Amino acid sequence: MPRPRSTQISIEDTPYYHCCSRTVRCAHLTGVDDITGKSYEHRRGWIEEQIFNLAEMFAIDVVAYAVMSNHLHIVLHIDIELANNWTDREVVEHWHQVFKGTEITQIFAKGEIVESFEINALKHSIAQYRSRLSDISWFMRCLNEPIARKANIEDNCTGHFWEGRFKSQALLDEAAVLACMAYVELNPIRAKMAKTIADSDHTSLQLRVKAALKGKQPTKLLPFIGNEQLNQAKGINFSLKDYLELVDETGRIIRDDKRGAISENAAKILTQLNISADNWIKITRDFGKIFHGPVGTLQELTRYCKHLEKRRRHFSQCCKYLEAS
């Protein structure tokens, strides 16, 4: 039985979550139908536009994503501090960019007088909206539902477009976040849709590479702040240069099937993450097969399970890949 989303999210342990949605009935999300020759490539634009629009509306940052032919991956960062710091009016304004709200919140948003007997209802709505605007379930709902409706109209059909609810997993430490990012962003290379990370269209990785060539970072993605000259506290505490070098080399290994053939410099970068080269290659190839729940070291998993009152089950088997051998 699928677990309620509330039993999978633990903000006190991590703000990072990997989400994945797949289509049903062999439906094409993007790509070209081999039988009919019909192209669905334009849908990649729908998805990317919706992802970045929602990131502006929600207190959630986009860390990594990849849009594939029948599924999409996205790594999200919940900015609970941002949501809590929004004023009541800002909360309502953000919510109204996605939903109509209630008659009372519409009156409040216009700056009109809210009757005293309606104040409690208004406060309840604002508290509810504030919570939802930092909730990955609501983010994914607002991402998937419009895409499904547009795709069904275009395909002249009805019914489910997505394969049940989206899957999500907590990323409990820096190594888990970076390994999952690499796995997500190398999807086109593993699928032989691209030869290099720069050719990996419709991925966050391509955006980072293009911006890095100009000495910048994409404004639409959560930035890397480790060893970077950025005057901000929020971001991935790792060097962007090291990450791009590591992912580029990993992509070449995966593409050329040179198992474990990682350079000395890349191995030094992995030492920072306490992951062996062999484990890193295995993770970036088979992350989805290895991990079916939260990802992290045994210590982080134990803490996470304690907070959510779960048993560790097979987690200790999985976490060994995130530790150097």
Side-chain angles (χ1 to χ4, degrees):
M1 290 287 292
R3 287 181 174 273
R5 204 67 70 182
S6 60
T7 68
Q8 301 176 33
I9 305 298
S10 177
I11 296 298
E12 59 188 320
D13 289 303
T14 180
Y16 292 95
Y17 294 86
H18 169 222
C19 304
C20 179
S21 294
R22 292 184 179 275
T23 61
V24 296
R25 64 174 187 272
C26 299
H28 279 268
L29 178 59
T30 63
V32 178
D33 190 320
D34 293 334
I35 298 175
T36 65
K38 183 177 180 179
S39 174
Y40 299 91
E41 283 298 283
H42 59 284
R43 293 181 180 176
R44 295 183 191 271
W46 296 356
I47 298 165
E48 286 186 296
E49 181 180 11
Q50 187 68 358
I51 287 173
F52 293 130
N53 284 342
L54 292 175
E56 291 291 325
M57 302 169 191
F58 281 71
I60 293 178
D61 303 296
V62 178
V63 181
Y65 70 89
V67 183
M68 306 301 289
S69 62
N70 67 346
H71 66 285
L72 68 88
H73 289 275
I74 187 167
V75 179
L76 300 172
H77 170 267
I78 301 173
D79 192 344
I80 196 70
E81 183 177 354
L82 175 62
N84 290 337
N85 287 336
W86 279 338
T87 64
D88 288 350
R89 189 171 300 280
E90 286 175 326
V91 169
V92 171
E93 289 173 349
H94 277 266
W95 185 256
H96 285 176
Q97 293 179 62
V98 192
F99 297 100
K100 292 178 63 176
T102 67
E103 184 177 350
I104 299 173
T105 61
Q106 289 289 346
I107 291 173
F108 176 72
K110 294 175 183 177
E112 299 176 3
I113 296 175
V114 177
E115 299 294 339
S116 58
F117 67 88
E118 296 177 320
I119 294 296
N120 285 339
L122 175 62
K123 289 183 177 179
H124 174 76
S125 293
I126 292 173
Q128 188 178 61
Y129 298 164
R130 191 185 300 274
S131 174
R132 290 176 177 178
L133 286 168
S134 59
D135 188 321
I136 61 171
S137 291
W138 279 88
F139 184 100
M140 293 301 293
R141 170 184 173 178
C142 294
L143 172 61
N144 286 346
E145 285 189 3
I147 299 303
R149 286 196 297 268
K150 292 176 71 173
N152 278 346
I153 291 173
E154 192 173 73
D155 294 342
N156 193 29
C157 67
T158 59
H160 292 289
F161 179 75
W162 298 105
E163 185 182 71
R165 67 178 191 172
F166 70 94
K167 297 178 181 179
S168 68
Q169 57 189 157
L171 306 173
L172 301 177
D173 52 41
E174 182 183 60
V177 171
L178 293 171
C180 185
M181 286 179 64
Y183 165 76
V184 167
E185 295 180 321
L186 288 173
N187 258 271
I189 289 179
R190 285 198 308 276
K192 301 188 184 306
M193 294 169 57
K195 291 185 177 180
T196 69
I197 60 175
D199 298 330
S200 298
D201 296 333
H202 305 286
T203 65
S204 50
L205 184 59
Q206 188 181 62
L207 295 183
R208 292 195 192 277
V209 171
K210 288 182 177 180
L213 292 174
K214 300 177 182 179
K216 301 179 180 179
Q217 293 201 49
T219 56
K220 297 179 178 180
L221 300 174
L222 187 69
F224 281 78
I225 59 174
N227 301 325
E228 309 293 340
Q229 299 300 315
L230 294 177
N231 296 318
Q232 63 184 85
K234 187 177 75 171
I236 304 164
N237 192 24
F238 198 77
S239 165
L240 173 62
K241 179 178 178 295
D242 285 349
Y243 176 75
L244 291 180
E245 181 178 344
L246 180 59
V247 175
D248 179 50
E249 184 163 333
T250 304
R252 295 174 191 275
I253 292 170
I254 291 175
R255 185 194 68 204
D256 298 331
D257 198 27
K258 297 178 179 177
R259 186 174 181 179
I262 202 161
S263 72
E264 182 179 350
N265 194 48
K268 290 180 180 178
I269 297 173
L270 289 176
T271 300
Q272 301 176 45
L273 300 175
N274 197 33
I275 302 178
S276 69
D278 287 342
N279 282 350
W280 173 261
I281 298 300
K282 185 172 182 60
I283 290 169
T284 50
R285 277 178 171 157
D286 303 316
F287 191 97
K289 297 177 182 178
I290 296 171
F291 304 109
H292 300 285
V295 186
T297 62
L298 184 57
Q299 180 180 3
E300 295 295 338
L301 286 165
T302 301
R303 184 181 297 113
Y304 170 85
C305 294
K306 181 179 179 181
H307 286 156
L308 295 182
E309 297 182 353
K310 288 183 181 179
R311 290 183 301 146
R312 287 204 300 271
R313 297 183 178 182
H314 305 298
F315 294 163
S316 59
Q317 175 69 19
C318 295
C319 75
K320 70 179 183 180
Y321 291 108
L322 289 174
E323 297 174 349
S325 57

